[in-house]
Amino acid sequence: MSQGVIDGGLKPPAFPALARALDNRLVLSAIFMFPALSILLVFLTYPLGLGVWMGFTDARVGRPGEFIGLENYVSLFQDSVFLLSVFNTLVYTAIATVLKFGLGLWLALLLNNALPFKAIIRAVVLLPYIVPTVLSAIAFWWIYDPQFSIVSWALKQFGLIDRYIDFLGEPWNARWSVIVANVWRGIPFVAICLLAGLQTISPSLYEAAALDGANAWQRFRHVTVPMLMPILSVVLTFSVLFTFTDFQLIYAITRGGPLNSTHLMATLAFQRAIPGGQMGEGAAIAVAMIPFLVAATLFSYYGLQRRKWQQGESND
Amino acid sequence: MTKITRRDAIRTGATLLAAPAILTYSLRSEAQELALEAEKGATLRVLRPSKFVQGDENLWLANTEKFSKQFGIPVKVESEGWEDLRPKSAVAANVGRGPDIVYGWHDDAHQYPEKLANLSDVATYLDKKYGGFYDVCKKYGMRRGQWISVPLGAAGSKMVYRASWLKEAGHTAFPKDLPGFLKVCQDLKRINKPAGMALGNAVGDANGWCHWIVWAHGGRMVDDKDRVVINSAETIKALDYVRELYQTFVPGTLSWLDPSNNKAFLDGQLSLTNNGISVYYAAKNSTDATVKAMAEDIQHADYPVGPVGKPTELNLIVNAMLFRYSKFPKAAKKYIAFMMEKEQYEPWQEASIGYFSQPLREYEKSKIWTSDPKHTPYRGTLSNMLWSGYGGSPGYASAAVLADFIMVNMVAAAASGAKSSRDAAAEAQKRAERYYKI
């Protein structure tokens, strides 16, 4: 299409200025980007910005607050419960992520083998991920119940313990218990993503490695792991984000107890902001999660994606 | 000339004597009418907590329909989950749009008093007509001499126990004081039928008994000037007591949430706990014969009274608030009053099978409290109750402190030995001071 000069019976455009503007690449690209950009602005940037702003105010539920600078943060850093929640969140995320990745990768490797009923098995593996979180959380709540735990009951039947295990009544027991629940729920996501990655690795690489005399461990170490690294880093990023911001499991199983030993930053933010009405402080806690999340993201992007093409450059 | 007979004289005299009484009576009955002309074309939206029991909702809706028919005012009743009710009403208050009337929790009205209509006429009318509101209702309902909410009632929590096991442990009556209570729990533990009360972040059960025990010893979060005074000798005494009491508990109470004690009790693993009337009802209506039989054995009692010499319970109270933005305030006031009138309130209370205790003394006579002697202790729910934020004023800080489980965490830390009583009290002091900014 040319500049709008017309011959051969075509009519001149009704709005020449508009037609010229539409021919301008800058204008056109701005128009094309507008829908996506406005969605981003309205649904991501605005709420995030509002959250950050609220962290600097003394807003209550439903009442816009006044700017109070860093007061919320100063106050939070003197608050033992907040500091404990940061500690809990870091422990929870670190241990759960390591376990999810270890077990998830193992499961993916198993599923990558030629198995009978492959499709059905893969679908079954996804189940924990498909069940709504709250439902599985309630199931775990029963499993860990001090009076009705099936685990305690079974161990007692076998004569291995003489009193029920206090899964959720002791701080470290409770932390481990919620971590196990999170790992159970998170493995399928990791496994299925990594399985997809495994299937993109060309068999010829393994053949070549085998011809070179590589054993199973060497094939895994020098073929599988490097080839899997790009997807691994993406899955790791998501997994860390999901775990760090977990809410439902904790809320249904312990509500942050006992003695706040399983309160994560997300659950504490909710408790203070909504039932407690301290919106500004809740927002500040939520905002305090951002540096951790950014650090985790940067680590998995730049720490694990060493090849240039993974960082958006050409692979020379 | 008319002859005045002796009989006439007596009659006249009697009339004269009766005149002041009749006059007072007619004046009183005038005071007993709430003269409110609803706005033309009024419609109302009402938001209330989701039902405790089906009867609660059924009767509420039936009463609402009765109101609509009688006054020609359509009313839409919405219910909201317990946890979402507070944020939703706060948002309505501050956005200036939403339901006309909200039946909200505890100290909600004191978080946005300037957004609420003055309900003094409704409250005074009800107060006069139905034997007066209990003191705690005034604390929740009034601010600076004005009624900003009208208490509807409270979900009572009482001591729930197995009478036969108490007997087996050597006690024929439920103790009325704290040393007696500790002794009972120790004896129950001795016969291997332990007591247990929630110490996890359980909104109702844990807050209920943890506040009670601290208040009973004279400890309190704030004084009457809203200065935080939880770190006191009285609190430490209370925590020392709890430490001993905790030794008698069934294992696992540190993790208990609200449903935990119900489950353990109904399973026969628990002899004594604090709860609403729901345990009894679950047993009574159970299809399982053993559980049903348990209903016979379940008894209820008031929380024992501590050294302060008066009951110090904390129960979940619900208050009606009318927002200023409502276009039909008169119709709304009519509705609030209507639902509290005997013709509506008693059947509704009856249908709520004792889950809701009245804020007005007159309803102590409700049949529900005597139709089954096991209901009777729940009758005194509001007369035995103090308010959230006792001994200061209800408001933002008291709501935040309650929601943050500061009292519960303090009691739990001391009970389990995670902290000494002294340290637990000091930590609670620090945490509370963040809200009652010093």
Side-chain angles (χ1 to χ4, degrees), chain B residues 109-131:
Chain B
H110 295 266
Q111 303 199 18
Y112 30 80
E114 71 284 357
K115 314 278 183 181
L116 299 174
N118 183 354
L119 291 174
S120 298
D121 46 356
V122 179
T124 317
Y125 158 75
L126 291 170
D127 187 72
K128 285 215 176 100
K129 187 166 174 184
Y130 292 110

Side-chain angles (χ1 to χ4, degrees), chain B residues 69-150:
Chain B
K69 275 210 180 115
Q70 199 166 326
F71 300 104
I73 303 169
V75 183
K76 193 174 163 213
V77 178
E78 295 156 25
S79 21
E80 187 62 64
W82 291 20
E83 300 217 319
D84 299 328
L85 186 64
R86 167 167 281 178
K88 205 162 176 182
S89 47
V91 168
N94 293 289
V95 176
R97 180 174 292 215
D100 302 275
I101 300 167
V102 170
Y103 286 88
W105 301 129
H106 277 305
D107 26 26
D108 282 3
H110 295 266
Q111 303 199 18
Y112 30 80
E114 71 284 357
K115 314 278 183 181
L116 299 174
N118 183 354
L119 291 174
S120 298
D121 46 356
V122 179
T124 317
Y125 158 75
L126 291 170
D127 187 72
K128 285 215 176 100
K129 187 166 174 184
Y130 292 110
F133 281 107
Y134 298 106
D135 289 345
V136 72
C137 299
K138 292 171 188 156
K139 203 72 199 175
Y140 275 115
M142 292 177 88
R143 191 178 178 96
R144 299 201 183 108
Q146 223 180 56
W147 287 85
I148 53 170
S149 69
V150 176

Side-chain angles (χ1 to χ4, degrees), chain A residues 166 169-171 258-259, chain B residues 199 209 239 242-247 249 253-255 408-421 424:
Chain A
D166 198 2
E170 197 274 322
L259 300 170
Chain B
L199 280 168
W209 87 268
L239 297 180
V242 168
R243 195 181 286 256
E244 270 189 82
L245 185 67
Y246 180 73
Q247 303 304 320
F249 279 7
T253 51
L254 272 183
S255 69
V408 173
N409 290 164
M410 174 181 79
V411 172
S416 63
K419 283 198 168 75
S420 70
S421 303

Side-chain angles (χ1 to χ4, degrees), chain B residues 286-307:
Chain B
S286 175
T287 46
D288 182 328
T290 11
V291 180
K292 204 172 172 76
M294 191 191 290
E296 276 297 298
D297 195 29
I298 293 178
Q299 287 295 350
H300 301 123
D302 283 340
Y303 285 56
V305 173

Side-chain angles (χ1 to χ4, degrees), chain A residues 188-211:
Chain A
F189 171 74
V190 176
I192 295 295
C193 290
L194 294 186
L195 180 61
L198 284 175
Q199 301 199 325
T200 62
I201 301 175
S202 162
S204 61
L205 293 174
Y206 290 109
E207 283 162 19
L211 285 177

